[in-house]
Amino acid sequence: MPEISIVETKNVIRAIRQQNNFDFSNYALTSLRYMLDKVISEHHLKYPDILINRILEDPEFFDEFLYDISIPATEIFRDPEMWQFLKDDYLPSLYEIFDHIVIWLPDLNDSYELISLIILLKESDLLRKSTIYASSLSVKNIDEIKKGVFNNKSLELGIENYKKLNLTLPIEHYLEKGIVPYSFKESLFKEVIFFKQNLHLEPVPEELNLIIFRNKLLYYSLDFQNTIIQHLTNALQPDGIIVFGHKENPDEFINQHKELIPLNAFEKIFKKINKVQFV
Amino acid sequence: LKKLVIIGGSAGSFKTMSRLFKSLPENYPHTIIVCLHRLRSARTGFTEALSLGTKFPICEPLDKELIKPATAYLAPANYHLIIEHGYTFSLSTDLPRNHSRPSIDITMETAGEVFKEKALGIILSGANMDGARGMVSIKKTGGILIVQNPKNSEIKTMPEATLNLIKPDYILDVDKIIKFILEI
C-alpha cells in the first residue's frame, strides 16, 4: 500500500491549499498517495511532515512538486488505433468544416501526446492549418517538454506503435541525429503555444476545435471529473472533437448533459453537438 | 460486499484462470480481481477468451467503476489497477513497477488496505517477482494467502519470490486452489 497514510495525505492537501490555493482534495485519494510517495522518495524527505514544511517554507519548491507528482503518458502514439482513426476519419472531417483548427492538449506531463499529434498533422500536411496550445501545471514540465527528450524504452515502444500507423516517413526523420538520450527535433515544437495552467485547467484558449485529454481524468475524483468534462465541453466549439482515454468513464456526464455524442465509443472520441442543427 | 479473491499471475497462468472461470457457478457470490501480465497493445480479446465456457460475468473495469459482488474484473492492458476506499477502481498510467503495468503489487496492496480480512490473495505461475510485496501487504491487513506450488508451476519464479518474502497460509496445486476458491 502507499507509504503515506490517509491522514498524512489530508495534511499535505491542507498545507498546499493554505500556501498555494491548489485543491488536491479533488484527486482520487489512493492515486494521489502514490504520487506523494514518489515526491517524498525522490527528494529524500523521509517523512510527510518534512514535505509539508518544504511546501510551506519554500515557494520555489512547489513548481518542483507539481513536476514530480505528474504521471507520464507512457509512450508515443499510445493506442495507435486511436491515432489512426484521428488521422483517417476525424481530422479530415474537422478540416472539411473549418479552414483552420485550434487544438489544445491540457495538463501535459511529457511530450508524447504532443509529438504524436504534431507528426500526424505534418504527415497529413495539416500542421500549417492548425494552432496548437499545450498547457501544464508546472513551468519545469513545460521546459522539459520543449526539449523533447525521452528514454530508450519509450523509443522502442514508440517505434512499435509508429509502424502500425503506416506513415510515410520513418520516425528517425523527426529525431535529432546522434544524441543520446534521444530527443525530437526542437523545431517540431516551434509553432506550439505553451502556457501554465491551474488544477481547474484555466486559462482556456479560445475557439477550440479539438481537445486531446487522454488518461488525465483518471487522477480525479468522479465529481471533479464531471466538473472538468463540463469545463472542457464549454471550451469546445460546436462540431469540435474531444478525446479521452479508452478506459476513462465520461458516460455519466454525457448521458446527463447530451452535449457530446460518441464518434467512437471504444476510443472515447466525442463530438460536441451543433445545436443549430436542431433549430 | 462479500469476499474478494485477488489473483496475480504471469506466464503459465492463463490456463489456470480459464479453468477457474469454467468451474465457477453463475451464482458465485464473491468478487474476483485478476491481474495478469499481458501484452500492452492487446486491448481486446482477453476478456472474451476467458469468458468462453462460463456464464460468470467477467469484464475490464472502467476508471472509477464501483466494485460489485459476483463479478470478475481483469486489469486492463497498459494500466495499473488501483482499489480506492469507497470500493471503486482507479486506473493509472504511472511508470511500470517490476517492469509491469499492470503491476500485481499495486493492485494487491491497495486491495488489501480496503478489503482487509475479506481479501484472499493468490499468486500463480509467473516469470518475475511482481506480486510478492502485494501478498505481504494483504497478510499485514489480515487477509489469507495462497501460493501455487512452485513444483507444479509452469514458471516458478513468481511463486518462489513470494515464498522468499512470506509464509503463506497455503501452498497448493491448481486443482486445490480452484476448489478453495469455490468453497469460501
Side-chain angles (χ1 to χ4, degrees):
Chain A
M1 69 193 81
E3 297 281 327
I4 188 167
S5 71
I6 292 173
V7 172
E8 289 164 337
T9 303
K10 288 187 173 169
N11 290 339
V12 174
I13 290 171
R14 200 174 303 121
I16 294 171
R17 196 163 43 210
Q18 179 189 328
Q19 191 69 9
N20 299 284
N21 205 24
F22 272 61
D23 189 0
F24 278 94
S25 65
N26 292 320
Y27 272 52
L29 188 60
T30 307
S31 288
L32 179 63
R33 288 166 66 201
Y34 278 116
M35 297 175 198
L36 294 177
D37 274 357
K38 195 169 64 168
V39 179
I40 289 168
S41 156
E42 282 178 10
H43 288 271
H44 309 291
L45 297 176
K46 288 189 182 168
Y47 307 110
D49 282 354
I50 303 176
L51 173 64
I52 290 175
N53 287 343
R54 285 292 298 273
I55 288 166
L56 292 176
E57 290 165 12
D58 181 358
E60 285 179 16
F61 173 74
F62 191 58
D63 193 74
E64 188 86 14
F65 170 84
L66 293 173
Y67 174 77
D68 286 331
I69 62 160
S70 62
I71 304 276
T74 77
E75 66 213 51
I76 307 145
F77 290 111
R78 181 186 164 113
D79 309 331
E81 299 84 1
M82 190 291 292
W83 293 103
Q84 190 78 56
F85 282 125
L86 209 55
K87 177 177 177 289
D88 294 345
D89 299 339
Y90 308 126
L91 282 174
S93 71
L94 268 182
Y95 285 94
E96 261 175 34
I97 305 171
F98 306 101
D99 293 336
H100 186 97
I101 75 163
V102 183
I103 305 167
W104 183 24
L105 293 92
D107 209 10
L108 279 189
N109 295 329
D110 52 49
S111 61
Y112 300 154
E113 293 280 275
L114 179 59
I115 204 74
S116 306
L117 175 74
I118 292 171
I119 290 175
L120 214 65
L121 291 171
K122 271 184 99 72
E123 280 272 342
S124 312
D125 194 27
L126 294 171
L127 190 58
R128 62 194 169 80
K129 295 161 85 176
S130 315
T131 300
I132 303 175
Y133 291 94
S135 59
S136 176
L137 283 176
S138 96
V139 174
K140 182 174 177 183
N141 231 335
I142 293 173
D143 293 341
E144 291 296 318
I145 291 168
K146 284 178 185 170
K147 289 181 196 161
V149 177
F150 56 96
N151 61 30
N152 291 4
K153 185 68 184 169
S154 301
L155 181 65
E156 200 181 292
L157 299 176
I159 288 174
E160 213 177 287
N161 293 339
Y162 192 87
K163 282 180 182 163
K164 292 182 183 164
L165 289 166
N166 296 318
L167 301 176
T168 53
L169 293 166
I171 196 165
E172 288 78 9
H173 174 78
Y174 300 103
L175 297 172
E176 295 286 5
K177 283 199 177 71
I179 297 175
V180 177
Y182 296 98
S183 65
F184 284 103
K185 291 176 179 168
E186 283 194 34
S187 58
L188 290 170
F189 300 109
K190 73 178 182 206
E191 304 297 339
V192 179
I193 301 161
F194 289 95
F195 66 96
K196 182 174 154 58
Q197 56 163 78
N198 65 16
L199 281 183
H200 288 262
L201 310 187
E202 294 163 333
V204 178
E206 291 183 349
E207 306 287 321
L208 286 165
N209 308 109
L210 173 63
I211 298 174
I212 297 179
F213 193 64
R214 297 199 308 153
N215 298 320
K216 306 289 181 187
L217 292 172
L218 303 177
Y219 307 105
Y220 304 145
S221 67
L222 195 56
D223 282 350
F224 195 60
Q225 288 190 5
N226 289 336
T227 305
I228 289 295
I229 298 168
Q230 181 70 71
H231 173 68
L232 294 175
T233 305
N234 292 346
L236 203 57
Q237 292 288 298
D239 293 321
I241 290 173
I242 184 163
V243 189
F244 300 105
H246 96 104
K247 283 290 174 191
E248 290 181 311
N249 195 0
D251 298 350
E252 183 187 307
F253 173 89
I254 284 157
N255 292 336
Q256 270 180 17
H257 295 264
K258 315 277 184 206
E259 292 176 69
L260 298 170
I261 51 166
L263 293 177
N264 185 316
F266 181 77
E267 301 292 355
K268 300 281 157 54
I269 303 174
F270 298 90
K271 179 173 153 177
K272 183 166 175 176
I273 290 172
N274 187 346
K275 287 182 179 160
V276 176
Q277 289 172 353
F278 298 101
V279 172
Chain B
L1 281 174
K2 309 260 181 181
K3 289 188 189 305
L4 172 74
V5 180
I6 173 156
I7 304 170
S10 171
S13 53
F14 183 85
K15 255 190 290 182
T16 304
M17 289 316 308
S18 186
R19 277 182 58 194
L20 166 67
F21 286 128
K22 280 180 186 153
S23 315
L24 278 180
E26 206 176 332
N27 60 352
Y28 184 74
H30 305 298
T31 305
I32 300 176
I33 296 178
V34 181
C35 189
L36 296 189
H37 295 163
R38 53 193 284 194
L39 284 176
R40 69 189 169 85
S41 55
R43 292 191 291 160
T44 54
F46 208 59
T47 310
E48 293 81 351
L50 284 174
S51 297
L52 289 173
T54 180
K55 287 185 175 171
F56 192 73
I58 304 173
C59 64
E60 287 184 6
L62 291 173
D63 180 57
K64 303 299 174 296
E65 192 169 321
L66 196 63
I67 300 172
K68 290 184 291 196
T71 308
Y73 297 96
L74 308 180
N78 218 3
Y79 287 97
H80 292 303
L81 183 65
I82 292 168
I83 316 304
E84 293 277 353
H85 290 269
Y87 301 100
T88 59
F89 292 105
S90 271
L91 299 174
S92 164
T93 61
D94 207 350
L95 297 173
R97 198 191 295 183
N98 305 308
H99 310 287
S100 309
R101 184 175 51 232
S103 150
I104 300 165
D105 276 349
I106 288 178
T107 305
M108 282 191 164
E109 63 192 26
T110 55
E113 193 180 68
V114 174
F115 282 85
K116 298 190 170 63
E117 67 283 352
K118 287 183 180 171
L120 166 64
I122 301 172
I123 281 292
L124 300 175
S125 163
N128 79 3
M129 295 169 66
D130 193 21
R133 287 179 180 281
M135 290 283 271
V136 172
S137 284
I138 289 177
K139 191 71 196 171
K140 271 187 193 161
T141 47
I144 295 172
L145 305 184
I146 301 176
V147 174
Q148 183 177 353
N149 186 350
K151 287 180 192 156
N152 298 319
S153 296
E154 207 169 301
I155 313 275
K156 60 187 177 182
T157 313
M158 202 175 266
E160 280 186 345
T162 307
L163 294 175
N164 287 338
L165 278 191
I166 194 158
K167 187 172 179 294
D169 298 280
Y170 305 95
I171 300 172
L172 301 174
D173 292 335
V174 165
D175 288 342
K176 290 195 171 154
I177 293 175
I178 292 173
K179 189 166 179 284
F180 195 103
I181 293 170
L182 291 173
E183 289 175 358
I184 57 169

